[in-house]
Amino acid sequence: MDARKTTSLALKLIGIYILVERLDYLWMYAQIFYASRFGYPPGGETTVVRLLMLGTLLVYFIVCILLIVKSDVIARWLVSESDNAEVTTGLDADTLQTIAFVTIGVVLLAAAIPRFVQFCASYLFLKSETGISYPNYGQLVGPAVQAAIGAALFLGAEGLVRIWHRLRTTRTVEDQQGSTEGFSQ
C-alpha cells in the first residue's frame, strides 16, 4: 500500500468518524426548529438565524461526505508523486480497514454510554424531586443511533470491509470499462 492509498483510507475513516460522531446534531437542530414553530423560546430565532444554523449543518455534512467520496482525489493532491513511496506495515488494506472500523465502533459505543447514563440519572432525579414521570425520549435518539452504528461497526467490521471492497472493485471495473470504450470508438 502506497502513501496515497494510506492517506485516502485515513481521509475516508476521518469522514466516517466525524459524520457518525455528530449525528446527534440533527436532533438538536430539529428540536430548535420544532420548538420555534410554537413560539418557544419567547421572541424565538429569526428566519435568518435558523437558515444560518441549517446552512452550517449542511456545510458540515457536505464536507464529511466529500471526505469520504473524494478521498482519492484529495490524497493525490496531498501526496506528491515523489512522496508516494510504498508503505510496508505487514497488513493489507482490508485488515487496516477492519481495525479502523472496530476502533471507531468502540469509540462511538464508549461515547454513547455516558449519555444513556445521564438520561437515566436525569429521569430518576426529575421523578424523585418533581414527580414528573414522563421522560423526554427524544433525547435518546442521538445516543441510540450512535450506539447502533458503533455496535454495527464493532460487530460487523469484516462484513463492512467486504462490502466496501466489492463497491471499490465494482467501481474500478466500471471505470476501466468506461475508459476503454471511449478509445474503441
Side-chain angles (χ1 to χ4, degrees):
M1 199 153 86
D2 61 14
R4 282 187 179 163
K5 287 181 183 175
T6 305
T7 304
S8 175
L9 179 61
L11 289 169
K12 285 177 183 157
L13 293 172
I14 289 168
I16 291 169
Y17 174 74
I18 293 170
L19 186 65
V20 172
E21 175 66 26
R22 293 297 164 199
L23 279 176
D24 56 336
Y25 278 138
L26 288 176
W27 171 250
M28 181 182 71
Y29 282 102
Q31 203 172 23
I32 290 170
F33 280 101
Y34 181 76
S36 65
R37 283 184 49 204
F38 297 103
Y40 181 82
E45 295 90 9
T46 64
T47 303
V48 173
V49 172
R50 281 187 260 158
L51 288 175
L52 284 173
M53 290 169 57
L54 184 62
T56 306
L57 181 69
L58 288 175
V59 167
Y60 177 80
F61 283 108
I62 288 170
V63 167
C64 289
I65 297 297
L66 285 175
L67 272 176
I68 296 166
V69 174
K70 296 294 184 183
S71 62
D72 294 334
V73 175
I74 298 169
R76 278 194 301 271
W77 181 70
L78 290 174
V79 179
S80 67
E81 192 63 42
S82 61
D83 294 335
N84 193 22
E86 193 69 24
V87 179
T88 57
T89 61
L91 302 172
D92 63 340
D94 290 345
T95 305
L96 287 173
Q97 283 180 335
T98 303
I99 293 168
F101 282 141
V102 167
T103 304
I104 291 171
V106 168
V107 169
L108 291 175
L109 281 170
I113 290 171
R115 295 172 64 196
F116 280 122
V117 172
Q118 179 185 12
F119 174 82
C120 292
S122 297
Y123 170 69
L124 292 174
F125 174 77
L126 281 175
K127 187 174 180 181
S128 67
E129 295 296 317
T130 64
I132 298 173
S133 62
Y134 55 92
N136 182 1
Y137 289 113
Q139 293 176 349
L140 284 178
V141 172
V145 170
Q146 186 176 357
I149 292 173
L153 286 172
F154 178 71
L155 298 173
E158 289 181 2
L160 287 170
V161 169
R162 282 194 298 272
I163 291 169
W164 192 268
H165 182 72
R166 274 192 227 125
L167 289 173
R168 261 195 341 235
T169 55
T170 303
R171 187 180 72 204
T172 305
V173 169
E174 288 173 357
D175 290 344
Q176 289 173 354
Q177 289 175 350
S179 63
T180 57
E181 289 173 3
F183 291 116
S184 64
Q185 293 176 351

